[in-house]
């Protein structure tokens, strides 16, 4: 028996890894309903919450090209949100996607904008963005994401991951 035959080995996992839930992370699936304007059946909204993030992770994608889409998180009871993290990825097209985030503390009657961010994608350059924002939000009943997929270029709205923290 040679030294090499006693070698213990295993293949490395892919770059897509499940991110463990932090102690202060809000379990969105257990505490809210997610409403959405569109989803590609091969990239459903559930993918936002499956903890497979990073470049190449699962994602939600709209079923419609060049259409402004919305994702609305309706909490079962008001939440405190200190920060949130979301990711966006585009590997196929040159385009600029805008993400707007708004909150409501009155059951969805009135919304207040808290973030507007644009992402420029180029398959030969930037293809992935991770956004982490800190806030001091109390009694949030609704969190709304508006995604404009085609500020420049063409494409479908998409988000790769979403995590909220108390």
């Amino acid at each position: 028996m040679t030294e090499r035959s006693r070698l213990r080995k295993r293949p490395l996992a892919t770059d897509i890894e499940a991110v463990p839930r932090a102690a202060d992370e809000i379990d969105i699936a257990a505490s809210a309903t997610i409403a959405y304007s569109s989803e590609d059946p091969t990239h459903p909204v559930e993918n936002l919450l499956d903890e497979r993030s990073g470049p190449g992770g699962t994602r939600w994608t709209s079923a419609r090209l060049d259409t402004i889409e919305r994702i609305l998180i309706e909490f079962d009871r008001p939440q405190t949100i200190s920060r949130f993290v979301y990711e966006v990825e585009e590997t196929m097209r040159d385009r600029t996607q805008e993400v707007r985030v708004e909150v409501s503390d009155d059951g969805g009657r009135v919304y207040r904008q808290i973030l507007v961010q644009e992402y420029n994608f180029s398959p030969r350059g930037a293809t992935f963005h991770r956004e982490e924002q800190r806030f001091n939000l109390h009694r949030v009943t609704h969190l709304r994401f508006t995604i404009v997929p085609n500020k420049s270029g063409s494409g479908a709205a998409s988000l790769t991951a979403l995590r909220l923290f108390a």
Side-chain angles (χ1 to χ4, degrees):
M1 189 184 301
T2 68
E3 190 68 27
R4 193 162 58 181
S5 66
R6 293 186 292 148
L7 177 68
R8 291 178 290 154
K9 66 179 188 175
R10 65 177 174 78
L12 289 174
T14 64
D15 290 335
I16 303 169
E17 296 183 14
V19 178
R21 190 176 305 279
D24 62 341
E25 186 170 353
I26 297 169
D27 184 348
I28 299 170
S31 62
T33 299
I34 296 183
Y36 54 91
S37 55
S38 174
E39 72 177 0
D40 178 330
T42 61
H43 300 287
V45 75
E46 294 92 316
N47 288 353
L48 283 176
L49 309 178
D50 69 3
E51 299 178 358
R52 295 181 62 187
S53 62
T58 60
R59 68 187 180 282
W60 159 81
T61 302
S62 167
R64 306 178 291 194
L65 285 176
D66 301 328
T67 303
I68 295 172
E69 302 292 1
R70 289 192 175 79
I71 294 176
L72 178 63
I73 300 172
E74 305 166 325
F75 293 105
D76 298 336
R77 50 180 219 284
Q79 299 286 319
T80 295
I81 300 175
S82 65
R83 70 183 170 110
F84 61 80
V85 176
Y86 67 89
E87 299 173 349
V88 292
E89 182 174 30
E90 171 65 74
T91 58
M92 304 300 290
R93 301 179 171 165
D94 288 335
R95 69 182 178 99
T96 299
Q97 175 171 285
E98 178 182 274
V99 176
R100 291 183 226 137
V101 183
E102 301 164 294
V103 296
S104 174
D105 60 7
D106 66 358
R109 288 184 294 278
V110 175
Y111 285 86
R112 176 173 52 97
Q113 186 169 283
I114 60 171
L115 178 71
V116 177
Q117 187 68 46
E118 286 186 0
Y119 304 95
N120 296 308
F121 296 107
S122 171
R124 292 168 303 286
T127 60
F128 179 82
H129 294 279
R130 181 178 191 271
E131 189 72 35
E132 180 169 350
Q133 294 288 326
R134 294 190 180 275
F135 294 97
N136 189 16
L137 305 170
H138 298 282
R139 304 209 41 82
V140 174
T141 60
H142 293 72
L143 184 66
R144 180 168 61 193
F145 289 80
T146 301
I147 302 99
V148 181
N150 59 342
K151 291 281 291 194
S152 71
S154 177
S158 66
L159 293 176
T160 304
L162 174 62
R163 299 174 78 189
L164 304 175
F165 299 86

